[in-house]
């Protein structure tokens, strides 16, 4: 079955008693046992919960994995995966990393003696140079955010496998609709499902998908032991959102392509970072490993003084963090999302004071361009008056 059909049908045949097409929100934490030594399959909701289970099975199938785990946030999913590692272990991680993941690694995992090196994960020489006898994990974001750097998933995961290193891909930006890292050799996929999977800027959630029995058992143990699991209501909201993922991703991609091209020819814009553009350095690999492009990109203004008036003047587009929802959001990474990353690293990857990040929603692209046009005009006018 094609992925559009799987998405639309999530949970629709899972409830045999009433035949409910929308799987019910089962709010119970305790489950009655038929008799001693017997179980309905459910004992206590942290370990397994009916609504969450439907979601977890669906995401495992969508990502071509063996087991799925729903967590209370994307960070909870990453923390649960990182709990696999122990004192002395070393990780290799994408350079232009989500700020919260960087903070978790540098300010929390270091307390447990787990360290990380940040490299261009698309460069096997850099991976090789960073590898130590204690390197146990490789964490890739592709595309990265905000700079949209692309890593060849197949090549880097094959490298990891050769060295007995567990490969983890954060697939938040593309979702299984456009990219399935496990099919390309990854061991684990994580998601901030808060973004495109849920899609409506209204539920915080994370997902993990594992390949192989051993890893699936280990993550099941950690998921239950740590307990950062997703509740039944939020599991339902996430499934509800995922049913329209295919339609939304197509529209996000369409709008982002139209607007990135418009921005590229605008005289106030210095550079646009979007892998769908044929001159993007990662375009070829992105096209090889993914069937489409995300709805988020970033761009650099020529003059940093235009940033403040633009963010003040956009109306339809909200000045807000987050990404992946139906509503368009714009943010200023250097100050908002990437403040926890040291300036030195930020400069190295190119997150500077002229960079804006745009999560393009599913509004009509004409209206979004009109909003940008009036905000840019206002910024130009103010600059002229200075
Ligand atoms: C948002 C995000 C996270 C963190 O997820 P939360 O749901 O906010 O906890 C992790 N990775 C990426 C790529 C993200 O965009």
């Amino acid at each position: 079955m094609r992925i559009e059909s799987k998405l639309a049908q999530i949970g629709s045949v899972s409830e045999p008693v009433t035949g409910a097409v929308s799987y019910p929100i089962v709010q119970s934490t305790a489950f009655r046992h038929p008799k001693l030594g017997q179980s309905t399959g459910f004992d206590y909701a942290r370990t397994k919960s009916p609504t969450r289970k439907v979601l977890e099975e669906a995401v495992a199938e969508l990502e071509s994995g063996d087991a799925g785990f729903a967590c209370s946030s994307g960070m909870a999913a990453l923390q649960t995966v990182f709990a696999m590692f122990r004192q002395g272990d070393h990780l290799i991680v994408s350079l232009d990393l989500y700020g919260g993941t960087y903070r978790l690694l540098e300010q929390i995992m270091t307390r447990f003696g787990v360290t990380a090196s940040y490299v261009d994960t698309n460069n096997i020489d850099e991976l090789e140079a960073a590898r130590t006898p204690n390197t146990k994990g490789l964490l890739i974001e592709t595309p990265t955010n905000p700079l949209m750097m692309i890593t060849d998933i197949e090549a880097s995961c094959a490298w990891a496998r050769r060295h007995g290193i567990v490969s983890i891909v954060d697939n938040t930006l593309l979702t299984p609709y456009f990219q399935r890292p496990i099919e390309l050799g990854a061991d684990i996929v994580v998601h901030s499902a808060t973004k495109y999977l849920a899609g409506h800027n209204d539920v915080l959630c994370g997902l993990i998908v594992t390949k192989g029995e051993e890893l699936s058992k280990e993550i099941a143990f950690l998921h239950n032991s740590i307990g950062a699991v997703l509740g039944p209501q939020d599991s339902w909201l996430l499934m509800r959102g995922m049913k329209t993922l295919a339609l939304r991703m197509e529209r996000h991609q369409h709008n982002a392509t139209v607007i990135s091209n418009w921005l590229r020819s605008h005289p106030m814009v210095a550079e646009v970072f979007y892998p769908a553009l044929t001159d993007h350095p990662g375009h070829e690999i992105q096209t090889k490993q993914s069937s489409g492009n995300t709805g988020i990109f970033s761009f650099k203004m020529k003059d940093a003084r235009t940033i403040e008036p633009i963010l003040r003047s956009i109306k339809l587009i909200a000045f807000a963090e987050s990404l992946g929802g139906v509503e368009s959001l714009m943010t200023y990474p250097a100050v908002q999302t990437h403040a926890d990353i040291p300036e030195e690293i930020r400069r190295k990857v190119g997150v500077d004071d002229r960079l804006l990040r745009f999560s393009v929603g599913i509004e009509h692209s004409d209206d979004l361009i009109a909003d940008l046009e009036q905000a840019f005009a206002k910024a130009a006018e103010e600059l002229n008056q200075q």
Side-chain angles (χ1 to χ4, degrees):
M1 206 190 292
R2 302 286 285 265
I3 193 163
E4 291 86 344
S5 313
K6 287 183 192 168
L7 285 163
Q9 291 285 337
I10 292 174
S12 78
V13 293
S14 305
E15 210 294 289
V17 179
T18 65
V21 170
S22 167
Y23 193 85
I25 299 170
V26 180
Q27 196 64 63
S28 193
T29 52
F31 300 87
R32 207 188 292 266
H33 301 305
K35 58 181 190 183
L36 191 63
Q38 281 190 5
S39 161
T40 58
F42 299 98
D43 306 304
Y44 182 61
R46 175 164 25 75
T47 316
K48 206 198 260 186
S49 163
T51 314
R52 196 181 84 215
K53 177 170 177 272
V54 172
L55 164 65
E56 291 174 335
E57 287 174 354
V59 75
E61 192 189 342
L62 291 166
E63 286 283 10
S64 301
D66 292 317
F69 306 91
C71 303
S72 49
S73 68
M75 291 322 304
L78 283 157
Q79 167 77 85
T80 301
V81 169
F82 290 163
M84 277 195 312
F85 302 108
R86 43 201 84 198
Q87 173 141 21
D89 284 356
H90 170 251
L91 310 180
I92 299 177
V93 182
S94 290
L95 184 61
D96 176 30
L97 192 67
Y98 177 72
T101 309
Y102 181 82
R103 182 176 54 203
L104 175 58
L105 286 167
E106 287 303 306
Q107 296 186 34
I108 297 168
M109 292 311 292
T110 48
R111 296 180 191 178
F112 300 93
V114 175
T115 56
S117 300
Y118 304 88
V119 306
D120 173 2
T121 43
N122 194 43
N123 185 330
I124 300 286
D125 293 339
E126 279 197 34
L127 291 175
E128 203 48 67
R131 187 170 68 86
T132 75
N134 293 331
T135 304
K136 298 287 163 60
L138 170 69
L139 171 65
I140 298 165
E141 282 183 22
T142 181
T144 59
N145 136 42
L147 285 166
M148 304 279 122
M149 291 161 74
I150 303 295
T151 290
D152 186 325
I153 297 175
E154 201 165 14
S156 53
C157 291
W159 173 84
R161 189 157 304 239
R162 271 202 303 283
H163 298 291
I165 295 168
V166 175
S167 55
I168 306 154
V169 178
D170 184 330
N171 202 29
T172 299
L173 263 58
L174 284 170
T175 82
Y177 179 67
F178 280 146
Q179 176 172 280
R180 289 180 291 282
I182 287 174
E183 292 178 5
L184 300 167
D187 297 310
I188 299 179
V189 166
V190 291
H191 279 280
S192 169
T194 313
K195 314 293 169 53
Y196 288 104
L197 287 172
H200 294 73
N201 289 323
D202 59 8
V203 54
L204 189 71
C205 43
L207 293 167
I208 307 167
V209 178
T210 48
K211 184 73 189 168
E213 198 183 335
E214 201 183 321
L215 267 181
S216 301
K217 272 196 183 147
E218 170 77 349
I219 298 295
F221 166 75
L222 293 169
H223 189 236
N224 182 44
S225 302
I226 293 170
V229 300
L230 194 64
Q233 308 243 2
D234 287 347
S235 295
W236 185 88
L237 267 174
L238 173 53
M239 282 193 276
R240 152 75 168 255
M242 284 167 69
K243 284 168 178 273
T244 56
L245 181 71
L247 296 172
R248 287 187 286 106
M249 291 313 288
E250 292 291 348
R251 180 60 171 244
H252 284 300
Q253 169 177 237
H254 170 79
N255 280 354
T257 304
V258 170
I259 296 169
S260 61
N261 274 302
W262 180 82
L263 282 167
R264 195 154 61 153
S265 57
H266 198 286
M268 289 167 72
V269 176
E271 210 176 337
V272 180
F273 303 88
Y274 187 46
L277 301 173
T278 49
D279 56 1
H280 185 281
H283 178 75
E284 205 175 309
I285 296 168
Q286 164 73 18
T287 309
K288 178 188 76 171
Q289 68 190 9
S290 317
S291 59
N293 286 281
T294 183
I296 180 178
F297 64 84
S298 58
F299 58 98
K300 236 171 228 184
M301 299 303 292
K302 283 184 182 153
D303 193 323
R305 291 173 300 171
T306 56
I307 300 284
E308 192 280 326
I310 290 172
L311 290 173
R312 170 163 38 84
S313 307
I314 45 176
K315 294 190 184 104
L316 177 61
I317 304 161
F319 171 28
E321 275 77 77
S322 198
L323 61 104
V326 293
E327 301 93 352
S328 287
L329 308 180
M330 189 174 282
T331 193
Y332 188 35
V335 174
Q336 307 286 335
T337 51
H338 285 60
D340 281 313
I341 296 183
E343 189 166 344
E344 178 199 320
I345 295 190
R346 252 191 281 142
R347 281 198 187 283
K348 191 169 159 199
V349 292
V351 178
D352 67 14
D353 61 354
R354 293 182 296 140
L355 190 78
L356 285 169
R357 188 186 83 183
F358 190 5
S359 173
V360 186
I362 63 165
E363 303 91 344
H364 199 289
S365 57
D366 289 352
D367 293 322
L368 295 169
I369 286 174
D371 196 31
L372 289 172
E373 215 154 28
Q374 64 83 22
F376 281 22
K378 200 165 283 172
E381 193 185 303
E382 289 184 22
L383 213 61
N384 279 336
Q385 283 165 1
Q386 274 176 17

